[in-house]
């Protein structure tokens, strides 16, 4: 769906070196999947692995990329979102440098400008992280 880093930057407010999503590979009414290759210069690398903050930020940025993509599709401005809460965070592993991770977010509920999502990060056939997030969307 999105093929370059330049395009992904039009959907999210983050800028390098804080970009944790390379590409949206699927998006429908309730689910979005993104792809990200862990790079050596990532600010959340520790001991050769992408650590907890990077995994959580990757889930949040997948949600932001979805919102930005949908906004641009509807000729609307891209709005900024903020993590309001993280619940049920489970981390069972960490991707290493040059691993490609796939992140899936599912929209559980949206009430006005508050989005409730569940997210999971996988590397190959291993689920590395899961959580629920409450995201507040800023009005223009």
């Amino acid at each position: 769906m999105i093929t370059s880093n330049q395009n992904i930057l039009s959907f999210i407010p983050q800028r390098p070196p804080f970009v944790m999503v390379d590409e949206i590979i699927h998006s429908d009414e309730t689910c979005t999947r993104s792809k990200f290759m862990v790079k050596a210069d990532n600010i959340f690398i520790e001991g050769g692995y992408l650590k907890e903050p990077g995994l959580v930020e990757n889930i949040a940025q997948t949600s932001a990329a979805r919102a930005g993509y949908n906004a641009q599709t509807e000729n609307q401005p891209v709005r900024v979102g903020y993590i309001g809460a993280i619940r049920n965070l489970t981390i069972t592993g960490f991707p290493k440098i040059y691993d490609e991770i796939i992140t899936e977010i599912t929209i559980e509920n949206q009430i006005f400008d508050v989005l409730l999502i569940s997210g999971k990060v996988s590397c190959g056939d291993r689920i590395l992280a899961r959580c629920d997030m409450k995201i507040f969307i800023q009005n223009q």
Side-chain angles (χ1 to χ4, degrees), residues 13-82:
Q14 294 80 8
R15 293 294 172 257
F18 204 67
V19 175
M20 307 288 160
V21 175
D22 291 329
E23 181 178 356
I24 294 175
I25 56 175
H26 171 82
S27 193
D28 62 28
E29 296 80 29
T30 60
C31 176
T32 297
R33 280 189 291 282
S34 71
K35 184 167 51 170
F36 179 63
M37 185 198 301
V38 179
K39 296 155 198 78
D41 64 349
N42 188 288
I43 62 174
F44 296 121
I45 293 292
E46 185 179 305
Y49 292 89
L50 183 68
K51 298 307 268 185
E52 294 91 343
L55 293 172
V56 170
E57 185 61 25
N58 173 259
I59 292 170
Q61 286 189 28
T62 298
S63 180
R66 170 196 173 78
Y69 174 77
N70 288 343
Q72 284 195 1
T73 300
E74 298 168 2
N75 293 318
Q76 298 292 319
V78 176
R79 296 167 57 192
V80 176
Y82 300 95

